[in-house]
Amino acid sequence: MAKNTTATDASRNISPTESPLSDEKRVIETSERSVDDQLSVVDFGGDTGLPPPPTLTPAQEKALYRKVDTRLMPILAIMYLLSFLDRGNAKIQGLTSQLNLTGNKYNIALTMYFIPYCLFECPANLVLKKLRPSRWLPFIMVLWGTVMTLMGIVKNYPQLVGARVCLGVAEAGLFPGVTYYLSLWYPRSMLQLRVGIFFGAASLAGAFSGLLAFGISFMNGIAGLEGWSWIFILEGIATVVIGVLSAFILVDFPATAKFLTPEERSYLVWKKKYDNSSVGEEERFALRHVAAAFTDWQVYLHILIYMSVIGPLYGISLFLPSIIQTFGFQPAISNLLTVPPYIFATIVLYVFAVWSDAISKRSPFVVAGLVMLLIGFVINITDVPSGVKYFGTFFCVAGSYASFPGVVTWLSNNLSGQYKRGVGMALHIGIGNFSGAIASNVFRAQDAPRYILGHGIMLMFVGIGFVTVPLAVWLYIRINRARDRKLGEGRRKYTDKELRELGDRAPDFRYIL
């Protein structure tokens, strides 16, 4: 660590690459910050006993965040991988025939997961902040692992639907909770790679679950259970075990992370606090933060952007094994053939994430994903040979999975204030996931093998994205330019406290494109 300085000294001396705030904004804020504000610089996460943040070189800062990555990312990625393992492979291992899921019963069972999943996401994010991530996230993981295990012994359709509802309640807090949790640790310019590492586990899960389902298929008949039952039972038990272990690995917030030195904690707190504002970020709970999230135009525009990607993502992840099976392969081989598209998607996802953080832009990579989705679903809706359709699935999987971290990170970057961001992200993901309920019902058994309706609805979602993404970029550019013109004038109208309360509506806040 380099020599300690006061928080205000650190903000003056830090290099442009270490902070998203411009020199102009730094000059404006340093002369006007009150003594109380200077002393409260480390009042983050409930800890006011930290030393002043040190000044770090770029190499030291990189090493510090690598230390954080090593502690947080592996366990979070494993948790999300396990939540995605049950997507679609059990269907072609005898689930539909043993439970007599005729007609659209399978689709309805999938849909019943999304209703509680969407409804419980917003409350779950508020609970996470109150009950601590190191307790809340392992608790819900053990809960959904237990439910998944019990899904392996259901005997009829009503039991399956009930289990799916319980699974939706249990898993609701995971993805919005972890993405919000990561936004408390990393500045805006570093966030997409971390969300990408976390979410990349979902695409790896797609590959791994195909291999796992292929192996488990040979357990068919053991203890009188079919292959689909063993898929749920073994994956559920693994989830419970990892959930228990995660309680001993996860940490809560930067200010209380015992694996870091007090100086390291102080730096992380300061870096995040002044990441997107010259006067710091609002951190204390108030109902106005909830109201601000519910009334922010960008939340609702980003919900449509979210739907344009998550609809196709759920559509392809839930039904890829079934789609590939229409090519004429046996169930075990169909599961095995789902692996290459997910491996390709994972590679593209990490390329997008690194590149996006490097240039601090999200929209170009969302558009790139939409283009890939357009290509993939156009190929699959046409009457072409199965080999060509299989090639198209690579674009479908990669386009949805690789662009998704950018969609989530984009809104997170543009919401300021811890509680507003937490509620806004939960609304974004919760309402947006209703498109997953739609995707669960459009790949109907009677439409095989072309699934014209299903692929057509996926193309509709993609079309929504091609309208809403450029609209969001245009609005952000207009607002940023208006604030650039009136920066000094707008800053003089407000006290530091008022600027913090304004959050992303403050004159010195700039939206990321």
Side-chain angles (χ1 to χ4, degrees):
M1 288 293 177
K3 179 182 176 182
N4 282 3
T5 66
T6 65
T8 47
D9 287 341
S11 65
R12 288 191 195 101
N13 298 333
I14 198 166
S15 67
T17 58
E18 291 182 75
S19 172
L21 296 178
S22 67
D23 291 340
E24 178 187 1
K25 295 173 195 172
R26 293 289 181 197
V27 170
I28 291 172
E29 59 105 353
T30 51
S31 63
E32 299 185 12
R33 186 176 298 161
S34 68
V35 174
D36 288 341
D37 285 334
Q38 294 176 33
L39 293 176
S40 68
V41 67
V42 291
D43 184 12
F44 183 94
D47 191 333
T48 57
L50 293 175
T55 300
L56 302 184
T57 66
Q60 289 173 320
E61 182 186 71
K62 186 176 181 180
L64 173 57
Y65 280 105
R66 192 183 303 117
K67 185 177 180 180
V68 175
D69 291 339
T70 303
R71 181 59 181 264
L72 299 185
M73 300 315 304
I75 187 63
L76 293 175
I78 291 171
M79 292 171 74
Y80 201 56
L81 183 149
L82 289 168
S83 79
F84 248 75
L85 279 181
D86 64 329
R87 304 300 202 261
N89 297 92
K91 179 185 178 184
I92 64 175
Q93 290 292 344
L95 172 67
T96 53
S97 57
Q98 186 175 11
L99 298 187
N100 193 29
L101 302 182
T102 57
N104 291 323
K105 287 184 177 180
Y106 178 74
N107 302 76
I108 294 171
L110 293 179
T111 304
M112 296 309 295
Y113 164 87
F114 288 100
I115 296 173
Y117 184 87
C118 297
L119 293 177
F120 281 87
E121 286 192 342
C122 187
N125 260 18
L126 294 175
V127 171
L128 176 140
K129 182 72 174 176
K130 185 71 174 177
L131 297 186
R132 298 166 49 194
S134 65
R135 295 294 175 264
W136 175 246
L137 295 177
F139 168 72
I140 63 174
M141 189 174 187
V142 170
L143 195 61
W144 95 64
T146 303
V147 173
M148 192 186 301
T149 303
L150 295 175
M151 282 177 63
I153 58 173
V154 298
K155 301 300 182 184
N156 52 52
Y157 172 62
Q159 290 178 3
L160 178 65
V161 170
R164 291 287 299 177
V165 171
C166 294
L167 188 65
V169 173
E171 285 191 3
L174 180 66
F175 185 76
V178 172
T179 50
Y180 171 50
Y181 173 64
L182 291 174
S183 75
L184 300 175
W185 283 84
Y186 296 96
R188 295 197 293 176
S189 61
M190 298 182 185
L191 189 58
Q192 181 162 338
L193 176 58
R194 276 69 187 188
V195 174
I197 292 171
F198 168 64
F199 187 74
S203 54
L204 285 176
F208 184 64
S209 61
L211 290 171
L212 190 62
F214 175 74
I216 293 175
S217 66
F218 296 102
M219 295 180 65
N220 190 42
I222 295 178
L225 298 174
E226 291 197 17
W228 69 267
S229 292
W230 284 113
I231 289 176
F232 287 132
I233 291 171
L234 294 180
E235 292 175 0
I237 291 172
T239 301
V240 171
V241 171
I242 297 298
V244 173
L245 290 176
S246 68
F248 299 96
I249 299 173
L250 280 175
V251 293
D252 292 316
F253 305 108
T256 57
K258 297 189 183 303
F259 74 98
L260 299 171
T261 67
E263 290 77 17
E264 289 172 333
R265 285 181 246 162
S266 180
Y267 184 84
L268 293 176
V269 166
W270 167 78
K271 181 77 172 183
K272 181 57 195 171
K273 186 179 178 89
Y274 293 98
D275 175 41
N276 51 21
S277 172
S278 62
V279 295
E281 188 174 48
E282 183 75 10
E283 299 153 7
R284 303 182 188 281
F285 177 75
L287 287 176
R288 57 185 168 80
H289 300 317
V290 178
F294 271 90
T295 56
D296 195 326
W297 62 270
Q298 58 175 328
V299 171
Y300 298 99
L301 183 56
H302 276 271
I303 286 172
L304 294 175
I305 296 172
Y306 185 95
M307 286 182 166
S308 73
V309 171
I310 200 66
L313 188 150
Y314 274 116
I316 198 66
S317 65
L318 290 170
F319 293 97
L320 182 61
S322 301
I323 292 170
I324 292 177
Q325 192 175 26
T326 64
F327 300 164
F329 300 106
Q330 293 299 313
I333 301 301
S334 296
N335 276 326
L336 203 58
L337 286 174
T338 63
V339 174
Y342 282 107
I343 292 176
F344 174 68
T346 304
I347 294 170
V348 177
L349 183 152
Y350 289 131
V351 170
F352 278 16
V354 172
W355 196 353
S356 177
D357 274 352
I359 66 174
S360 293
K361 291 185 185 296
R362 312 304 178 200
S363 57
F365 302 95
V366 178
V367 171
L370 291 170
V371 170
M372 295 177 74
L373 284 169
L374 178 64
I375 294 170
F377 283 115
V378 165
I379 290 174
N380 273 275
I381 203 172
T382 54
D383 189 13
V384 294
S386 58
V388 178
K389 286 179 177 288
Y390 183 59
F391 174 73
T393 63
F394 280 74
F395 286 92
C396 294
V397 178
S400 55
Y401 278 84
S403 60
F404 184 74
V407 171
V408 176
T409 306
W410 195 8
L411 180 64
S412 173
N413 286 166
N414 290 335
L415 292 175
S416 182
Q418 288 186 34
Y419 283 97
K420 180 183 179 182
R421 185 164 59 248
V423 174
M425 291 175 68
L427 286 173
H428 181 217
I429 297 169
I431 299 176
N433 270 329
F434 276 111
S435 60
I438 298 172
S440 301
N441 287 283
V442 296
F443 285 91
R444 305 177 303 176
Q446 62 264 37
D447 296 331
R450 286 184 64 184
Y451 293 107
I452 292 177
L453 175 65
H455 291 131
I457 295 295
M458 297 305 103
L459 287 170
M460 177 201 74
F461 281 124
V462 174
I464 291 172
F466 278 122
V467 173
T468 52
V469 172
L471 177 60
V473 171
W474 177 70
L475 290 170
Y476 284 145
I477 289 174
R478 284 194 63 193
I479 295 171
N480 284 347
R481 287 176 177 172
R483 290 178 181 176
D484 285 339
R485 290 193 298 268
K486 300 178 179 179
L487 176 61
E489 174 189 347
R491 176 62 180 82
R492 287 188 292 271
K493 289 182 179 179
Y494 303 100
T495 65
D496 288 354
K497 181 176 182 296
E498 289 170 336
L499 285 173
R500 277 193 293 273
E501 292 175 352
L502 284 171
D504 50 79
R505 298 183 181 182
D508 63 346
F509 185 92
R510 295 297 176 273
Y511 292 114
I512 282 182
L513 305 180

